[in-house]
Amino acid sequence: MTARDTNRIKIAPSILSADFARLGEEVRAIDAAGCDWIHVDVMDGHFVPNLTIGPAVVKALRPHSALTFDVHLMIDPVDPYLEAFAAAGSDIITVHAEAGRHVDRTLQRVRELGCKAGLSLNPATPESVVEYLLDRLDLILVMSVNPGFGGQSFIPSQLEKLRRLKAMIGDRPIVLEVDGGVVPGNAGAIVAAGATALVAGSAVFRNGTYAANIAALRVAAAGTDTATLS
Ligand code: DX5
Ligand code: ZN
């Protein structure tokens, strides 16, 4: 795992919006364009209504970038697959609070496998689910769309959830990440609410101008203009 700058807001392009026929090349391109993490969306057609990629693809992509692989597992059950995703080269493994009955055990297992442990909350899931898990967490991922597809609109109610989670996290070294509908027009408001990492699929991969798109998100994230949420 390499870090370009440990303090700045992390920009994590979701390769869900990449050209799947050229995934290795796409990962190299977003790395060269200055992103911080590579966000990998894993979907099972059961927990979410879409199917994407498995551990073999993560393993195949691993040699293409030394950046942190931020692996978002939208699968249920998740426990049987943790070892394979860790062995494939995941740095962060994020599981869903709504998947599996024993999230505390799942998070312990992720750390035992040598990965950072993340927990994701769907838009309808209250922040209180993390209350007794904070010491097991390296990252909390707030879904600002219903998971399954790229290109959806940001759900504004998640800003209040971010503010509440930021307060619950306090001084703990837990990354607060947001995923879904993040664009330059709302990145400032999202960061102002407490986010420290931004996932962006369509906003990074649109028009082929990856470096400019990442830079636009960075400028917006650093700014104070919170007027628009589209
Ligand atoms: C949705 C995925 C997201 C998604 C983000 O289920 O977890 O990572 O690809 O895409 P955009 O940024 O286009 O909303
Ligand atoms: Zn994701």
Side-chain angles (χ1 to χ4, degrees), residues 12-17 39-43 48 72 74 96 141 143 145-154 179-183 199-204:
S14 164
I15 60 169
L16 186 62
S17 295
H39 186 82
V40 182
D41 285 309
V42 177
M43 304 184 183
V48 290
H72 178 193
M74 287 161 275
H96 265 263
L141 175 58
M143 287 308 303
V145 297
N146 288 289
F149 304 95
Q152 303 181 79
S153 296
F154 183 86
D179 186 359
V182 176
V183 294
V199 177
S202 34
V204 167

Side-chain angles (χ1 to χ4, degrees), residues 67-149:
L67 293 176
T68 292
F69 272 25
D70 175 32
V71 177
H72 178 193
L73 299 182
M74 287 161 275
I75 63 178
D76 182 8
V78 65
D79 291 354
Y81 302 99
L82 296 175
E83 195 169 344
F85 279 103
S90 306
D91 296 297
I92 302 166
I93 292 182
T94 295
V95 302
H96 265 263
E98 307 84 5
R101 293 183 175 80
H102 305 288
V103 175
D104 182 277
R105 178 189 290 146
T106 301
L107 293 170
Q108 288 187 61
R109 183 71 184 133
V110 171
R111 282 185 169 172
E112 282 168 13
L113 290 166
C115 297
K116 302 274 190 192
L119 186 69
S120 184
L121 281 53
N122 279 336
T125 301
E127 67 282 354
S128 56
V129 298
V130 308
E131 186 174 359
Y132 296 98
L133 296 170
L134 289 169
D135 292 338
R136 304 240 187 263
L137 289 172
D138 300 297
L139 179 146
I140 298 170
L141 175 58
V142 171
M143 287 308 303
S144 42
V145 297
N146 288 289
F149 304 95

